[in-house]
Amino acid sequence: MYDIAVVGAGPAGYSAAINARKREKSVIVIGQNTGWLARAERIDNYPGMPGVSGQQMLDAMAAQAKNMGAELRGGVVHQMIDMGGSFALSLGADFVEARKVILASGAKQPKRLPGEERLLGRGVSYCGTCDGMLYRGRHAAVIGAGPEAVSEANFLMSLCASVTYFGKADAELDSRIKVRDERVTEITGGMRAQGLIAGGEELPFDGVFIFREVMALSSLLPGLEMDGAFIRVDRGMRTSVPGVFAAGDCTGLPLQVAKAVGEGCIAALTAAQEIG
Ligand SMILES: Cc1cc2nc3c(=O)[nH]c(=O)nc-3n(C[C@H](O)[C@H](O)[C@H](O)COP(=O)(O)OP(=O)(O)OC[C@H]3O[C@@H](n4cnc5c(N)ncnc54)[C@H](O)[C@@H]3O)c2cc1C
């Protein structure tokens, strides 16, 4: 059980972790070091670090958080479950438990496919490790983006009769997996998923697994109050869900490192104060 779990390994998340450690709270940061800042060639408007690349800045923040005792863990949080007094964060088949959660997940929000939400848990899954056994000897599709997609597809290939992979593979896929370039536009099926539409063609599958770098906030934590595309927060960075805070690009404009770092600090200090 951690005092604080931070969802998102960007400047807001690392700032939250550093400030939580200054208050001697145990903290875990979950996410890949590959968010928006990693794409910035050069940052000139962050005080004290002129001219560094986004990746250099991220690496320095990650190292500082780690040196101060924050635990850093790769992966994508799929869902948060309110346990009444603590939260369970699911990372595939694994869970992390924390008293407070700081959402620092950035501004990018994935668009869900037509049929995806309706058929989730009925042939559509976000976790091969959890649900793969249900498709033993059957035919699975993987819609892949992000760090987990390839390893999960390879795991599914060890169980399923066939795996077809739609998307860009960041690592080596099992040679038995069929790769298709067409973009998937819909998941099909009535009571259960029956397949998908890709390149205008309807293709049958028993199960459809979807892996993304980020999760839609509405599926990560249903009931979170929004302000348009952004999470509604108060001045202490509290969200509408008690015990859950938000910081950085996910709370609104301006989408800037300095604002993300400032909000990460406030979120951590408010969370630490509530923990006592
Ligand atoms: C090309 C480019 C140039 C830029 N130049 C500048 C600049 O010069 N100056 C400036 O101030 N700003 C600049 N920015 C903006 C700056 O990068 C962002 O404002 C800043 O990174 C926001 O920080 P954040 O921590 O809120 O979000 P992000 O940096 O986006 O980090 C969020 C992280 O959370 C992860 N995540 C999301 N959902 C989950 C989940 N469910 N589980 C686990 N992890 C999750 C994401 O993968 C990501 O790693 C630039 C952005 C880009 C793209």
Side-chain angles (χ1 to χ4, degrees), residues 6-14 30-46 58 75-78 104-108 213-215 220 247-250 254-261:
V6 178
V7 179
Y14 289 131
I30 304 161
Q32 303 299 128
N33 225 357
T34 54
W36 267 20
L37 190 54
R39 294 178 212 170
E41 206 177 316
R42 187 186 155 103
I43 309 283
D44 277 320
N45 65 341
Y46 190 76
L58 261 183
V76 177
V77 178
H78 294 135
S105 50
K108 197 170 149 192
E213 245 171 311
V214 295
M215 295 299 293
L220 187 65
D249 282 5
C250 62
L255 307 183
Q256 291 284 287
V257 178
K259 182 254 191 192
V261 164

Side-chain angles (χ1 to χ4, degrees), residues 52-123:
V52 295
S53 73
Q55 189 64 60
Q56 283 170 325
M57 191 181 264
L58 261 183
D59 290 345
M61 290 176 177
Q64 187 176 349
K66 195 171 176 205
N67 288 339
M68 289 179 70
E71 192 173 324
L72 310 185
R73 177 163 176 175
V76 177
V77 178
H78 294 135
Q79 212 188 352
M80 288 168 51
I81 300 155
D82 192 338
M83 315 271 285
S86 69
F87 294 88
L89 281 61
S90 86
L91 290 111
D94 236 3
F95 279 94
V96 164
E97 203 179 339
R99 291 186 174 84
K100 308 283 176 194
V101 177
I102 298 176
L103 294 171
S105 50
K108 197 170 149 192
Q109 275 285 296
K111 268 213 179 98
R112 284 196 276 192
L113 292 163
E116 177 179 335
E117 195 172 2
R118 185 173 53 82
L119 295 166
L120 188 62
R122 290 186 286 147

Side-chain angles (χ1 to χ4, degrees), residues 128-140 152-163 176 209:
T129 317
C130 322
D131 297 332
M133 287 302 274
L134 302 172
Y135 299 93
R136 184 183 273 281
R138 303 175 79 190
H139 303 278
E152 290 281 278
N154 288 344
F155 170 72
L156 287 168
M157 193 63 247
S158 69
L159 299 169
C160 300
S162 78
V163 174
R176 292 168 295 172
F209 289 83

